[in-house]
Every structure is written in structure tokens, then in C-alpha cells.
Amino acid sequence: MNLQTLTYTVVGLTFALYIGIAFWARASTTGEFYAAGRGIHPIANGMATAADWMSAASFISMAGLIAFNGYGASVFLMGWTGGYVLLALLLAPYLRKFGKFTVPEFIGDRYYSRTARIVAVICLILASVTYVIGQMKGIGVAFSRFLETDYDTGLYIGMGIVFVYAVMGGMKGITYTQIAQYCVLIFAYTVPAVFISLNITGNPFPQLGLGGTMADGSGMYMLEKLDLVVTELGFKEYTTQVMGSKLNMFVYTLSLMIGTAGLPHVIIRFFTVPKVADARSTAGWALLFIAILYTTAPAVGSMARLNLMNTIQVGEVGSAEGNLSYADRPQWFRNWEKTGLLQYEDKNGDGRIQYYNDKSPEFAAKAESYGWKGNEMIKVDRDIMVLANPEIANLPNWVVALVVAGGLAAALSTAAGLLLAISSSISHDLIKGVMNPNISEKNELLAGRFAMAGAIALAGYFGLHPPDFAAGTVAIAFGLAASSIFPALMMGIFNKKMNRAGAIWGMIAGISVTMLYVFQHKGIMFIPGTSFLGDMSPSWFFGISPNAFGAIGAVVNFSVAIAVSKITAPPPDHIQHLVEDIRIPKGASTAVEH
Amino acid sequence: MSNRAEEYWRANIRLVSILLVVWFIVSYGFGIILAEPLNTIKIGGVGLGFWFAQQGSIFTFLVLIFIYAKRMNALDREFDVHED
């Protein structure tokens, strides 16, 4: 079977499985639609949370970011896992004890205020929609690339699939589908990693291969070899290169961690476990399943970089035969050239490929003495690394097809989880909670499905005309969640004296500061040319990139909230009792049957 | 809040604080601030600072959450505030 047919088959089979599960587990009550009937075992829930959490950004992009940013990309590894500690220790058990369906519902009740609930809904929708646009774009690109259609058609197909299982199934359907998706994506991620680690270091565990020695008989450590190979060509040393500055890395990591604990589609998961004790361990199980991918990623990234460098620089740097002849380039190189994501230009006309850092002033003299006229790999899109990896390592076609199915599983599962969070906040918080409290359960369910369809259409529209950058969009979504939702939740549990005015003004101040900073550097609503300060590091506040600013927004949120709460009336007694009550597991409402 | 409940809450805060200190030290401390000095120590072919930033902190996070879940469940029983 050729690669194309095989890809169709594998993707088709996995999709049939997801849709089959969605129909089988169709939700019939609002409880099942929003919270899977609270009948899901912690391990199963942890697995579904992991699939929900790991999006196209984790599956497709992250290893590529690691490959080219080395140590600097640690912010993603730590940032996208460390948030689970905050979630488990500071939020999950208390939100489960509280026993409602949505994040704004908690905020509205805890701060005895409809306004607080509406502000929370707005923050939640801003963060989730920003996130889902990025996913939609990823889905569109993946579908169009592998089903060989144009981008728009790919996006429509993706929207259709998301619609079917998210809208029909609700949380219950999504949970079971996501368990299947987790299995597909983790298998697809680790199989090529094991093969490649075995090839390069002789160790079948990529986690250990990272610290292992080369299998080529040189006895050199893999990372030492990589450092040597990249610095010889003027690139920064892999294991020490930083992203921006140490301060930027610190704030970036913090922003991603707090954002993790503030993103509604992850928090909503902890409403679906049977008991408070389960909420604590569910976060652990989720992180365990996430860690399998996240601890594999450093090996995938570094080994992909090494493979790439060695493919092009076949001999000694500077020697006549040292560079790969363009005519001899491997098949995967040709395949990716067709997509435009890998581009070559023969600047010095020698018919060979020179791939080096032409921005490095120290290396310029050397390059000139070799007769090199600039870096000839004019484009190496980092997002191709995970998808191209099996081809680079000459793995069989079924592995390549599997990776495609894995990438789609990652993107679809996250999009569905986010859409559910958006729809529940509209139908449950806005319509039932504020506009029409007497709405019947059936109509609420219907409204939820309409809201979800609307959100898919909106995200699809932005996906058709994407705000230009997808990776940035995802990081900004984290910043928005970090600066608004997390502080309000945390103070609601840990600060009994936090009151209505404090929470409301805190959320407004936090999200405003973050959005202002992002817009002034990235353009209003991300429209290029409308930024009033340049998107360059010299204009950044202490060198902090806009993608990392959510942590500063969170600090603003906490400060404003505490200051305002000091000068306004404390919360009424019954609210203080409510807080005392959620701090104790005993008496949690029993799990809904399913 | 009764004395027992207050005591339970204080024990909870103490546990969470200790775990969060560890959380901070392994990621921000070892992984970022102290990465350079730690990189002089090698385990296999990996500098310790680099290792904490890319793998060690993730393993530690996992352990922290399971310790928390176990300790809190024990605390719930000790103070008789557990479910069922």
C-alpha cells in the first residue's frame, strides 16, 4: 500500500472509532452533557484530560521548538506540566467539593454576584476562543496536507467532524472519545521516538537516550555531539541557549503554568470525578499521561536536530566534499520542499547545501574562507520536525501514517474540549444563570448545542482568515486565562475575606493589562500594522515577550483584588461559611449516576 | 470555623506550602536560575540544570501531586472530614 492510501486508511479508521464512541455515549441530561455524569474513574478521566490538554501545539510544534531552541524551549516543557501541580494543590479538590458544572458558576456564587459571573464568562470566552482558533487552523492545515485538498476544504471537513462528536455527544461522549484519542496520539508519538533513539544511541527509551552515548562507536555523548555539530556551524550551543533572557524564560514559564490552572476546559474535568479524593489524584494521573509525551519530546527534538544537521553536513565543515550535494538529497527532503515549508537556494552556485548560522559575526570570516555566501536552507519550518521525523529516520510508511492520525487526534480532542467549555458558559451561565433561569433542561441542552455550533462557525471563520500566527495565539490564550480566571478562583478558596468588588476589579485589571500589552506589540485584534509599539524585544517591558505577559497580568490581578477588598465591605457571613464548607471534603454531593 | 476545622486547614496549608516550595526550587531554581552552575554536574551526558529543565522537573511534579493526594487523604481521615 502506498503512503497516501495508508494514511487515508489509518486516519479513516481512527475517525470511525471516535464518531462511533460519540454516538454510543450520547448525552441525554444536562449533567451528562456538561460533566459526564460524574461517573468517570480517575485513571480514565486522567487519560481523557491528557488528550484534552495536549493539542497540536504539544504534538506537532513542541519538539520542533525544542529542536531549534534547545535549552530555551524548556519553558514549554516546564510550563505546560507544572501548572498541574497548581491545579491539584490549589483548585481541583475545592471545585469538585463545590459541585457545580462551570467555572463562572463558582465565581458567581462565591462572589455573590451576577456581574462577577458575567465577567468570568467573558474572560473564559476570550481565552477559549483565542485558543480554539489556533486549533482550528492546525486542523485545517493537517487535513489539507494529508487529504490533498486545499486549506479551506480541509478546515470544513475538520469543522464537520468536531461538530458531530462534540455537539452530539457532550462531555460524556467527549470523555470516552478522548480516551481513544489519547491512545492513538501517544502510540503515534512514542513509536517513532523509540526507533530513532535506538538508531542514534542504541537505547530503546528516548528518555534515557537523551543522556546516552552515540551508537556510532565514537563513545561521545549524544548531547555533546549535538553541541559540537551546531556550534561548528555557528549556531548557539544547544544545551545552553536561552530564549530572550533568563528573566523572560522565568516569566514565560510562570505564565504557561498559571494559564494551565486557569483554562476552563482543563478545570471542567475536575467537576467530572466521583469524589474529592479523586479530584486530587486525577490531576496526578493526567500529568502522568502527559509526562509520557513530554519527557519523550526532548529526545525527539534533539535527535531530530542532530539527524537534520548530519543529513546536510555529511563531512568535515569547510571541506569541499563536506556538504550534501543538492542532487543527492533524500526523498523526505524532496517531499517537504513541495509544501514550501523547507526551502533551498544555491547562493554560491556550487550545487551543494550549506546550512549554517549566517547571523553569527564570529562565524562570518570562516564562512567566507570556505566560499560560502550565506545560509542556503532559507526556510526550515520547525513545525515539520515531528511529521518529518519518521521519514528522516527511514521508518516504515505505517509509522508515518500513524503520526498523521496522532496529530489530528491531538488537535481535534483539544478543540472539542474547548468548545464544550465555551458552550456550557453560554448556555448554563449566560442563558440559564442570567437571562432565563426558568429554562427547561431540554432547552438548556439545545441552547448548549446551538452555542457550540455557533462557536465552531466563529472559530472556523477566524480559521479561514487566521490572525496570521497560530503558535502565538495559543500562548496568548494561556496569558489571558492566567491573568483573569486563576487568581479569582484561588483567592475564592484561600482568602475568605476576598469580596465581590475585589474579584471583579482584579479580573478586569488583569485581563486588560495583558490584552493591552499583547495588542500594543502584536496589533489590535492581531491585525498587523495596528500595533502602536513595535513587536521587537527592545520595546518590550524588561525584555518580556507578549506571549509571556500573562504572569504579569496575574500579579496585577492579585494586587488590585487585594487592594480593592481592603477598602470595600467584607463578604457576608453565609459566603464565609460557604468557603469554610468547600475546604472540607465531607458532605460532597454524591456522584450522578451514569 | 471550629478549632478542629481550623487545625485541618492549617495542616493543609503547611503541606501545600512545602510542596510548592519544592515545585519552585526544581523548576525555577534548578531549571532556570541555577542552571549554569548545575550544568557542571553531569548525569550521563546531560548537565544537571538542563536535565531539571527538560525532564527532572516533570518527574518531580508528578511525585508532588501523588504525595499531596496521599497525604491529604490521610489528613481527611485523621480529622474525620473524609467522604463516606
Side-chain angles (χ1 to χ4, degrees):
Chain A
M1 229 189 280
N2 69 11
L3 180 58
Q4 195 62 33
T5 328
L6 203 59
T7 308
Y8 269 109
T9 314
V10 174
V11 172
L13 282 177
T14 54
F15 274 47
L17 177 70
Y18 308 150
I19 292 172
I21 293 171
F23 270 99
W24 167 68
R26 215 164 46 245
S28 52
T29 64
T30 47
E32 284 185 354
F33 188 74
Y34 296 133
R38 295 214 166 93
I40 310 271
H41 189 273
I43 295 183
N45 204 12
M47 212 180 261
T49 309
D52 203 344
W53 175 240
M54 291 188 287
S55 66
S58 294
F59 190 96
I60 297 173
S61 279
M62 194 172 64
L65 286 169
I66 297 170
F68 293 96
N69 291 297
Y71 166 71
S74 307
V75 298
F76 300 106
L77 290 163
M78 290 189 286
W80 282 337
T81 53
Y84 276 86
V85 178
L86 299 179
L87 201 52
L89 273 56
L90 303 177
L91 303 181
Y94 310 106
L95 295 179
R96 171 61 191 88
K97 171 68 196 292
F98 183 68
K100 293 290 172 64
F101 292 130
T102 71
V103 171
E105 198 168 13
F106 173 79
I107 291 179
D109 285 6
R110 165 61 182 84
Y111 297 114
Y112 45 98
S113 159
R114 228 180 233 191
T115 316
R117 189 168 180 175
I118 294 170
V119 171
V121 168
I122 293 168
C123 294
L124 184 154
I125 290 174
L126 281 173
S128 306
V129 170
T130 310
Y131 200 156
V132 98
I133 294 166
Q135 295 303 316
M136 279 296 179
K137 203 196 162 199
I139 291 169
V141 171
F143 270 96
S144 58
R145 164 96 178 82
F146 293 105
L147 302 181
E148 290 189 334
T149 61
D150 60 302
Y151 172 75
D152 290 7
T153 316
L155 186 65
Y156 291 134
I157 295 173
M159 283 165 69
I161 304 266
V162 172
F163 182 84
V164 169
Y165 76 75
V167 175
M168 297 300 155
M171 193 64 170
K172 198 176 164 201
I174 285 181
T175 301
Y176 290 119
T177 312
Q178 283 175 336
I179 292 171
Q181 282 166 332
Y182 176 78
C183 297
V184 170
L185 81 84
I186 203 67
F187 189 63
Y189 201 84
T190 47
V191 165
V194 167
F195 277 119
I196 291 165
S197 175
L198 214 47
N199 272 345
I200 293 187
T201 66
N203 195 323
F205 296 100
Q207 286 84 348
L208 300 174
L210 183 74
T213 49
M214 298 293 292
D216 58 6
S218 66
M220 229 179 158
Y221 284 114
M222 195 275 292
L223 285 174
E224 268 176 15
K225 172 88 177 173
L226 179 57
D227 275 345
L228 186 72
V229 167
V230 295
T231 48
E232 268 186 348
L233 289 164
F235 294 104
K236 286 185 191 148
E237 192 176 64
Y238 184 85
T239 53
T240 55
Q241 67 184 105
V242 293
M243 211 153 99
S245 63
K246 277 285 177 91
L247 177 69
N248 185 50
M249 282 181 70
F250 189 102
V251 179
Y252 209 134
T253 308
L254 193 59
S255 184
L256 295 182
M257 282 195 193
I258 302 176
T260 301
L263 275 170
H265 73 294
V266 178
I267 298 175
I268 216 170
R269 286 275 161 204
F270 296 95
F271 296 114
T272 68
V273 293
K275 294 197 297 183
V276 174
D278 296 334
R280 295 174 186 144
S281 59
T282 293
W285 291 114
L287 186 57
L288 177 71
F289 293 119
I290 293 166
I292 296 174
L293 189 145
Y294 271 62
T295 54
T296 306
V300 172
S302 55
M303 291 174 193
R305 179 80 180 274
L306 189 61
N307 265 340
L308 179 71
M309 303 303 294
N310 283 340
T311 304
I312 294 167
Q313 190 71 46
V314 288
E316 202 182 319
V317 177
S319 71
E321 302 285 306
N323 296 77
L324 181 73
S325 159
Y326 184 63
D328 297 339
R329 67 197 188 283
Q331 187 58 41
W332 64 264
F333 197 114
R334 293 165 203 262
N335 290 348
W336 284 97
E337 270 183 316
K338 281 182 219 151
T339 66
L341 297 171
L342 197 67
Q343 285 170 21
Y344 164 77
E345 189 192 323
D346 195 1
K347 289 181 181 165
N348 63 352
D350 67 349
R352 290 177 180 276
I353 308 169
Q354 283 97 43
Y355 178 37
Y356 69 102
N357 183 9
D358 55 5
K359 306 274 185 326
S360 159
E362 297 90 41
F363 195 71
K366 264 195 203 167
E368 214 178 314
S369 71
Y370 301 148
W372 295 357
K373 298 260 159 57
N375 177 25
E376 298 183 341
M377 296 294 291
I378 51 176
K379 185 166 185 189
V380 186
D381 193 301
R382 52 196 182 193
D383 285 355
I384 72 173
M385 291 316 287
V386 166
L387 296 170
N389 222 359
E391 296 177 89
I392 299 178
N394 284 319
L395 300 182
N397 274 349
W398 64 268
V399 180
V400 181
L402 193 63
V403 171
V404 176
L408 288 171
L412 283 170
S413 59
T414 305
L418 285 161
L419 286 165
L420 189 88
I422 295 169
S423 91
S424 62
S425 67
I426 289 174
S427 66
H428 194 68
D429 293 307
L430 273 189
I431 296 178
K432 189 183 168 74
V434 177
M435 284 152 65
N436 180 10
N438 298 323
I439 191 167
S440 73
E441 193 164 288
K442 196 165 163 243
N443 283 340
E444 190 193 337
L445 209 54
L446 194 66
R449 289 186 166 132
F450 270 112
M452 206 183 256
I456 293 173
L458 182 71
Y461 172 77
F462 277 106
L464 282 176
H465 311 280
D468 186 50
F469 56 102
T473 319
V474 169
I476 291 163
F478 278 80
L480 295 177
S483 63
S484 55
I485 311 264
F486 176 78
L489 292 178
M490 191 190 154
M491 288 183 293
I493 296 159
F494 285 85
N495 184 348
K496 240 196 289 182
K497 302 278 178 208
M498 183 47 61
N499 62 10
R500 175 170 57 195
I504 294 172
W505 287 111
M507 285 191 283
I508 293 174
I511 204 163
S512 306
V513 165
T514 309
M515 283 179 77
L516 186 72
Y517 191 76
V518 170
F519 285 168
Q520 74 182 5
H521 293 291
K522 297 268 187 192
I524 294 157
M525 297 314 289
F526 314 128
I527 298 162
T530 57
S531 60
F532 32 99
L533 290 173
D535 183 21
M536 293 307 245
S537 43
S539 65
W540 293 346
F541 178 74
F542 285 109
I544 295 167
S545 59
N547 296 0
F549 208 71
I552 309 292
V555 172
V556 170
N557 184 334
F558 277 116
S559 317
V560 169
I562 289 167
V564 171
S565 73
K566 295 269 185 232
I567 52 169
T568 45
D573 281 348
H574 73 275
I575 293 297
Q576 304 202 22
H577 289 310
L578 171 85
V579 177
E580 282 166 14
D581 185 59
I582 59 172
R583 288 177 176 184
I584 290 168
K586 199 172 195 168
S589 56
T590 44
V592 182
E593 293 297 320
H594 83 111
Chain B
M1 217 192 253
S2 69
N3 278 341
R4 273 306 265 179
E6 247 172 66
E7 232 176 279
Y8 169 76
W9 187 245
R10 267 203 305 274
N12 174 13
I13 298 284
R14 199 159 48 233
L15 175 65
V16 168
S17 310
I18 294 169
L19 296 174
L20 284 182
V21 167
V22 177
W23 166 82
F24 184 87
I25 290 175
V26 291
S27 51
Y28 299 94
F30 295 166
I32 298 177
I33 300 166
L34 300 171
E36 272 103 42
L38 283 175
N39 274 339
T40 56
I41 306 166
K42 302 269 181 190
I43 39 166
V46 195
L48 199 56
F50 181 86
W51 183 77
F52 266 109
Q54 302 219 327
Q55 285 189 353
S57 54
I58 299 174
F59 293 133
T60 315
F61 296 154
L62 258 179
V63 173
L64 289 177
I65 296 179
F66 282 110
I67 290 178
Y68 170 76
K70 198 170 175 322
R71 288 287 305 130
M72 279 310 286
N73 292 347
L75 216 56
D76 288 352
R77 291 190 183 279
E78 195 184 319
F79 285 88
D80 196 29
V81 291
H82 59 282
E83 304 151 274
D84 316 318

